[in-house]
Amino acid sequence: MKNFALIGAAGYIAPRHMRAIKDTGNRLSVAYDINDSVGIIDSLAPGAEFFTAFESFYEHGHQLKRSPSSALDYVSICSPNHLHHPHIAAGLRLGCDVICEKPLVPTPDLLDELERVERESGKRVFTILQLRHHEAILRLREKVANAPADTKFDVDLTYITSRGRWYAASWKGDPRKSFGVATNIGVHFFDMLHFIFGRVRSNVVHHSSDDKAAGFLEYERARVRWFLSIDAGDLPDEVKGKKTTYRSIVVNEEELEFSEGFTDLHTVSYQEILAGRGYGLADARQAVETVHVIRTAQPSPAHSDSHPFLKRLSS
C-alpha cells in the first residue's frame, strides 16, 4: 500500500484521483486545498488529514518522512493549471513521485526545468493522459499503424463543452491561469492526435478568442481541422436543448464513436503508473509544444483547411 498526498482536493477532477487511489488499494494520507468544500473525502478517504494552508501541508509531509510506514510515496496534483509547476516541484522535493493533471505546464522551457528537478530529486513526474487508454483510441491507433506508410488521414476534431458565466469569473476564465481555452479543454485531444498520428509537422491557428479556438494541424499521418469551444451557441442545431456537450472525431469521413468508456480511465492511468508504465515528461512534451504554439500564434485567415464550424461564426 502506497501513501498519497493530494493537492487541489476541492477541484472538479479531484474525486477521480481519490477514487483511483482507493481502487488501486492505496491510501490517501493527506490532502490540501485553499477551499474547504471537500466533503467527498468522507466517502473515499475519511482518515486523511486536510489542510487549507500550503505551508502546513508541506510541513506535515516532511513530518511523515520520519517513519517509513507513514512517508509519502506519491503526490497527486489537481490544482489550477498555473500552479502545476510549483506544486510538481514541491512534490518532488518532498521525496515523492508526482502524478499531475494536464496540462503539466504551459511551455517547453518549464518541462526542461522539471526535468532538472527530477534529476536533483531522483523522483519522477507522471501525467494523466487518459485518452491513450481508451479502447476506441487504441483501435484507431492500431488501424493507422497498419495502414500503408504513405497513407494520410483526414480528420475533423470538434469539441464543444458549454460553460456558464461562472467560467469567466473563475481561474479557468483567466488566460494567465488556465492558459486559454485551447490549452484548458484541448490539450488532451492534441496529445491523443499525436499518440495516433505521430509528430506535428505544421500548426496553424485560424481563430482564437476567450471562448473558442480553431486551426489546422498536420501530423506525420494526418491532416486535422480542429474546433474547440465553451460557447453553447456553437452546439449543432440537432444537439441544442438536448445536450450541453458535443464531441466528434471524424476520420476519413467516418465518425469515431468514443462517447462511452471514460468512467474508469483515471483508475487505469494510476494502475499503469503504479506498474511502472506511466507517461512522463517526455510523453507530455509534444502536446505542451502544440498548445504553446497555438497560444502564442497570430491567427491566419481561414482557408480551405479551416474547420467547417468557422463558417458559422462569420455567417
Side-chain angles (χ1 to χ4, degrees), residues 105-115 285 288-290 292-293 295:
V105 287
T107 68
D109 287 347
L110 285 177
L111 279 181
D112 295 340
E113 174 60 24
L114 288 178
E115 288 178 346
R285 183 172 292 274
V288 169
E289 291 175 348
T290 300
H292 176 62
V293 171
R295 191 170 55 251

Side-chain angles (χ1 to χ4, degrees), residues 20-64:
I21 293 167
K22 180 178 180 180
D23 287 351
T24 52
N26 296 294
R27 178 194 299 113
L28 178 59
S29 299
V30 54
Y32 157 73
D33 202 294
I34 60 172
N35 299 305
D36 57 11
S37 298
V38 291
I40 186 67
I41 293 177
D42 289 342
S43 62
L44 295 173
E49 297 289 343
F50 177 71
F51 297 93
T52 57
F54 186 80
E55 296 85 353
S56 299
F57 162 81
Y58 194 70
E59 173 59 22
H60 183 74
H62 275 282
Q63 292 177 9
L64 292 175

